[in-house]
Amino acid sequence: MRHWNRKHFLLPSKMQFPAICYRSSHPYGNVLIMSPWNYPFMLTMGPLLGAVAAGNCVIVKPSAYSSLTSEIIKSIIEETFERGHVDVITGGREQNKELLDIRFDYIFFTGSSKVGKQVLEKAAHYLTPVTLELGGKSPCIVDETANLKKAAKRIIFGKFVNAGQTCIAPDYILVHESVKDSLLFYLVKNIKEDILNYNDYSHIVNLKHFNRLLNLMEDENIYYGGESDNKKLYIEPTILIDVDCESKVMQEEIFGPILPVITYKTLENAIEYVNRNGKPLAMYYFTQKSSRFNKVLSSCNFGGGCHNDTVLHMATGHMPFGGVGDSGMGGYHGKYTFNTFSHYRSIMRNCTSFENPLRYQPYSKVKENILKLLIR
């Protein structure tokens, strides 16, 4: 990490020669990090480490929905950092509003698209640069050439980890009509074997989101699951079939253990369907045909994704993670987090007394021709 903030020397252009040119990182200054409730520790400390490494002072605002974790974060930060270097503000909407009315040099927000728009609106008042890590309806396409057994296992893992409360979880499946029944069989099989066979299946974060998820399932065709317990905030892993594209469950990010399965006839149909739902944070495609995967890559715009897998594209610090359009802006993880919280300045040091007469008046045709040769 020490070499991240070293000067990166560059060759001077012909017009700059014999100057010294380099690019150097510089902290933005005062940074606000607003983190969500679904992975409250990781999605707070990850950005914070990069912001501090880049030399910024930080105010951290964790989610009020995960208040116990917020208190742990507050305790760790107060023991580790001096007051004024990194501080934690806890609370709810009132505290969020007050913070967003303050001028910061950079804002890093992870959360819903709805709140992300409010953050961007507030930041625009001061022309504050932002990173928005949002979500969206991340599709999972399964074609007729896919290994259905492996596809189902990997989809179930990606969808139901943390009870679907993951921004990059597969939001819905688009399956070729010829293999729909086989895929459904393996999906149910893996729910029973890999999810319900253990005691660590997550529950819903609070009653508000519990009721929202139940509302999304109303009047839908439940193929499997659907049971719930409002006292335990438990919703059984649920598969929906024959879902209409205009239904409630297809109008917002699900962010819970509900998996709609929709059929398609041709890959063009699937691509068209995906592109109608904005630019998702993630895209997953199960196929044995690399040409088809490449076609989806060139036809759809999304944050990141996997070929024949789900969610693991973000499990590394060597690749940036982030969305595009509706699913956010900017990226981070590893060195890319340091880059996000750094402004890179281009510096030229003129270390000679030589004066290049070409840049000074009077200008002539001879000078013009020489300049054309130099800038080719």
Side-chain angles (χ1 to χ4, degrees):
M1 186 182 291
R2 289 181 178 178
H3 69 276
W4 289 356
N5 64 352
R6 290 178 181 171
K7 296 175 182 177
H8 297 273
F9 287 92
L10 306 167
L11 288 174
S13 70
K14 294 174 184 177
M15 285 298 295
Q16 294 170 326
F17 187 82
I20 297 172
C21 297
Y22 61 89
R23 183 170 171 264
S24 65
S25 63
H26 190 79
Y28 277 100
N30 295 317
V31 169
L32 172 63
I33 295 176
M34 305 180 77
S35 57
W37 51 262
N38 59 326
Y39 294 92
F41 191 85
M42 178 181 73
L43 297 181
T44 301
M45 303 307 281
L48 174 62
L49 291 174
V52 171
N56 298 280
C57 293
V58 186
I59 287 182
V60 174
K61 174 56 182 68
S63 173
Y65 289 166
S66 50
S67 57
L68 295 179
T69 305
S70 297
E71 290 302 322
I72 292 172
I73 292 171
K74 183 178 176 67
S75 176
I76 291 172
I77 287 176
E78 288 179 347
E79 290 178 10
T80 306
F81 297 99
E82 293 182 4
R83 187 72 188 274
H85 185 190
V86 180
D87 291 313
V88 179
I89 305 295
T90 57
R93 292 182 181 179
E94 184 178 341
Q95 285 71 28
N96 290 343
K97 185 179 182 302
E98 290 179 3
L99 285 170
L100 290 173
D101 285 334
I102 298 172
R103 183 169 193 160
F104 286 92
D105 299 304
Y106 202 95
I107 297 175
F108 188 103
F109 171 80
T110 306
S112 70
S113 298
K114 180 181 178 181
V115 180
K117 292 176 181 178
Q118 297 171 8
V119 171
L120 191 58
E121 184 179 359
K122 291 287 188 177
H125 181 70
Y126 296 112
L127 295 179
T128 302
V130 300
T131 291
L132 299 178
E133 296 293 335
L134 310 177
K137 298 193 72 62
S138 298
C140 180
I141 302 175
V142 182
D143 75 13
E144 69 277 15
T145 73
N147 183 323
L148 299 180
K149 188 175 181 179
K150 286 185 177 179
K153 190 174 185 70
R154 293 170 183 178
I155 292 169
I156 293 303
F157 164 76
K159 176 62 180 182
F160 294 108
V161 64
N162 201 27
Q165 298 167 116
T166 305
C167 59
I168 55 171
D171 192 89
Y172 62 96
I173 295 176
L174 288 169
V175 59
H176 191 271
E177 58 185 7
S178 66
V179 293
K180 171 190 173 184
D181 292 339
S182 298
L183 180 65
L184 286 170
F185 169 80
Y186 285 117
L187 289 173
V188 172
K189 183 175 184 289
N190 280 279
I191 287 175
K192 292 177 179 177
E193 293 179 357
D194 298 343
I195 305 297
L196 301 182
N197 200 31
Y198 301 96
N199 295 320
D200 53 2
Y201 174 66
S202 302
H203 293 200
I204 308 306
V205 65
N206 57 31
L207 188 59
K208 173 186 174 182
H209 284 280
F210 176 87
N211 289 330
R212 180 186 65 85
L213 290 167
L214 292 187
N215 182 56
L216 293 181
M217 289 193 288
E218 281 185 1
D219 303 320
E220 294 294 341
N221 189 357
I222 296 176
Y223 179 82
Y224 178 85
E227 297 297 321
S228 62
D229 184 336
N230 63 355
K231 292 182 180 178
K232 296 181 178 179
L233 298 180
Y234 169 87
I235 296 178
E236 184 180 13
T238 300
I239 297 175
L240 307 179
I241 59 172
D242 304 325
V243 179
D244 188 274
C245 63
E246 301 299 326
S247 64
K248 289 182 293 186
V249 76
M250 295 306 296
Q251 298 308 305
E252 63 180 80
E253 183 181 8
I254 295 172
F255 219 69
I258 304 168
L259 182 58
V261 177
I262 302 164
T263 58
Y264 72 90
K265 293 181 181 294
T266 67
L267 183 57
E268 288 73 20
N269 295 150
I271 290 171
E272 182 184 356
Y273 192 98
V274 169
N275 288 337
R276 284 205 306 265
N277 288 300
K279 299 172 183 177
L281 182 58
M283 163 77 82
Y284 308 113
Y285 188 14
F286 288 85
T287 180
Q288 299 301 320
K289 301 285 188 180
S290 294
S291 59
R292 294 185 183 181
F293 179 69
N294 291 332
K295 182 174 183 178
V296 168
L297 286 181
S298 63
S299 302
C300 301
N301 198 356
F302 53 92
C306 300
H307 180 194
N308 292 331
D309 214 328
T310 63
V311 307
L312 292 185
H313 63 290
M314 57 81 67
T316 175
H318 304 298
M319 298 193 297
F321 170 75
V324 59
D326 308 89
S327 55
M329 59 182 70
Y332 74 118
H333 282 191
K335 171 70 160 55
Y336 298 96
T337 313
F338 179 89
N339 294 346
T340 288
F341 289 104
S342 299
H343 166 63
Y344 283 87
R345 302 189 292 196
S346 296
I347 305 296
M348 187 200 84
R349 295 185 61 190
N350 194 331
C351 303
T352 178
S353 59
F354 172 73
E355 289 288 1
N356 187 341
L358 293 175
R359 69 177 182 175
Y360 296 115
Q361 295 191 52
Y363 300 122
S364 66
K365 194 67 178 177
V366 173
K367 284 186 177 182
E368 180 183 340
N369 291 334
I370 295 173
L371 283 171
K372 286 180 179 179
L373 288 173
L374 288 176
I375 62 177
R376 280 182 180 174

